[in-house]
Amino acid sequence: MSVFAAKDARCIACEGSVDLTIEPREKDLGDFSVRRVLPAPARRMVGPFIFFDHMGPARFPAGKGINVRPHPHIGIATVTYLFEGQIMHRDSLGISQPIEAGAVNLMTAGRGIVHSERAGDDLDRESRLHGIQTWIALPEDKAEMAPAFSHHPAASLPQLAVEGTTVRIILGEAYGQRSPVPVYSPTLYLELRIPANSSVALPHNCAELAFYVVEGAVAVGEREFSGYTMAVAAPGNAIKIRAIRDTRVMVIGGEPVGERHIWWNFVAASRERIKTAGADWKAGRFDPVPGDDEFIPLPD
Ligand code: MN
């Protein structure tokens, strides 16, 4: 999933604790839609997060599903997290790993990896898919590291109750608990399920912080945020969010890692590195994905 820029981001005059909202651009991919939230014109990154895609919710008839052919990445780690459904991941390290709801697939591209994302063994029946794929820019001293992959089952992630809210810690540390998923720089990624009329204070130890309303609606002070909106916190502000309805919110944050260029599936601190990666893909110099011989050609 890639290539669509968010269409709209507007400043709301730094009022309250939120100073920017981002409305994603919805891209209809036939049987399902993807919402690109980051990068947005007004906001490229939040902490190390440079890419934020909301997939679905989608319902597929039997025989249909997600079907992303092998393609390369550099300079990032991809984090796949599902609410419903499953995706079969295959990569050039030789790993085949299905992911299901509540688990994390962390794929660290480093100097280069190739992967495909296709339907799981639910392909032969009607299925649903709903989740988030984010990309985290690697710090410069890790950008050319060897590629790596790790799978973290749902039961391995901390889950706790905070003032009635169910918190799952996907990356980093919050509310006194830490995710087992490795990070390369200070990073926070949480799923919050907030019952209607409950409030929860977001962690305030992040240099940069944003939340995204997956479903439901919340308020920060007088201001309301509905589904598919990302709200970026004003620096140094403590944010308390109150659910207007039963709500699912993702929280992202961390320390900035510096500016990055992003083109197609490549992220790097220099344009030259992205050009080299494109030439390498065109010339077949990336490792193949064992058992998956198709590929996505380099765009013009
Ligand atoms: Mn990918």
Side-chain angles (χ1 to χ4, degrees), residues 71 73 115 117:
H71 59 278
H73 291 283
H115 75 145
E117 295 157 293

Side-chain angles (χ1 to χ4, degrees), residues 31-32 58-66 125-129:
D31 295 306
F32 91 114
R59 193 174 68 191
F60 296 109
K64 295 257 191 183
I66 187 171
R125 56 184 187 271
E126 184 178 289
S127 63
R128 294 180 61 84
L129 184 65

Side-chain angles (χ1 to χ4, degrees), residues 1 68 71-73 78 107 115 117 133 135 265:
M1 281 149 278
V68 182
H71 59 278
H73 291 283
T78 67
M107 184 185 78
H115 75 145
E117 295 157 293
Q133 187 174 86
W135 300 357
N265 299 308

Side-chain angles (χ1 to χ4, degrees), residues 12 73 86 100-101 121 160 170 181 191 205 241 272 279 283 286:
I12 52 174
H73 291 283
Q86 51 178 290
E100 298 184 333
D121 62 14
L160 52 154
I170 303 167
V181 182
E191 178 193 3
N205 55 347
I241 56 182
E272 290 66 34
F286 279 83

Side-chain angles (χ1 to χ4, degrees), residues 97-218:
Q97 176 65 59
I99 180 170
E100 298 184 333
V104 173
N105 271 1
L106 178 75
M107 184 185 78
T108 305
R111 60 180 173 253
I113 198 166
V114 181
H115 75 145
S116 63
E117 295 157 293
R118 299 191 189 256
D121 62 14
D122 54 357
L123 182 61
D124 59 359
R125 56 184 187 271
E126 184 178 289
S127 63
R128 294 180 61 84
L129 184 65
H130 188 200
I132 305 279
Q133 187 174 86
T134 56
W135 300 357
I136 291 167
L138 297 174
E140 284 206 58
D141 65 345
K142 301 280 196 315
E144 299 294 330
M145 68 180 279
F149 177 88
S150 59
H151 174 75
H152 304 269
S156 70
L157 299 186
Q159 177 169 307
L160 52 154
V162 178
E163 300 171 67
T165 290
T166 302
V167 177
R168 302 195 78 238
I169 303 176
I170 303 167
L171 298 174
E173 185 175 358
Y175 309 107
Q177 298 221 37
R178 172 171 286 279
S179 166
V181 182
V183 291
Y184 302 99
S185 64
T187 304
L188 181 68
Y189 189 24
L190 310 174
E191 178 193 3
L192 308 182
R193 276 172 290 156
I194 317 169
N197 303 314
S198 286
S199 294
V200 63
L202 301 188
H204 49 83
N205 55 347
C206 285
E208 297 185 348
L209 189 78
F211 66 84
Y212 175 76
V213 182
V214 176
E215 54 205 353
V218 300

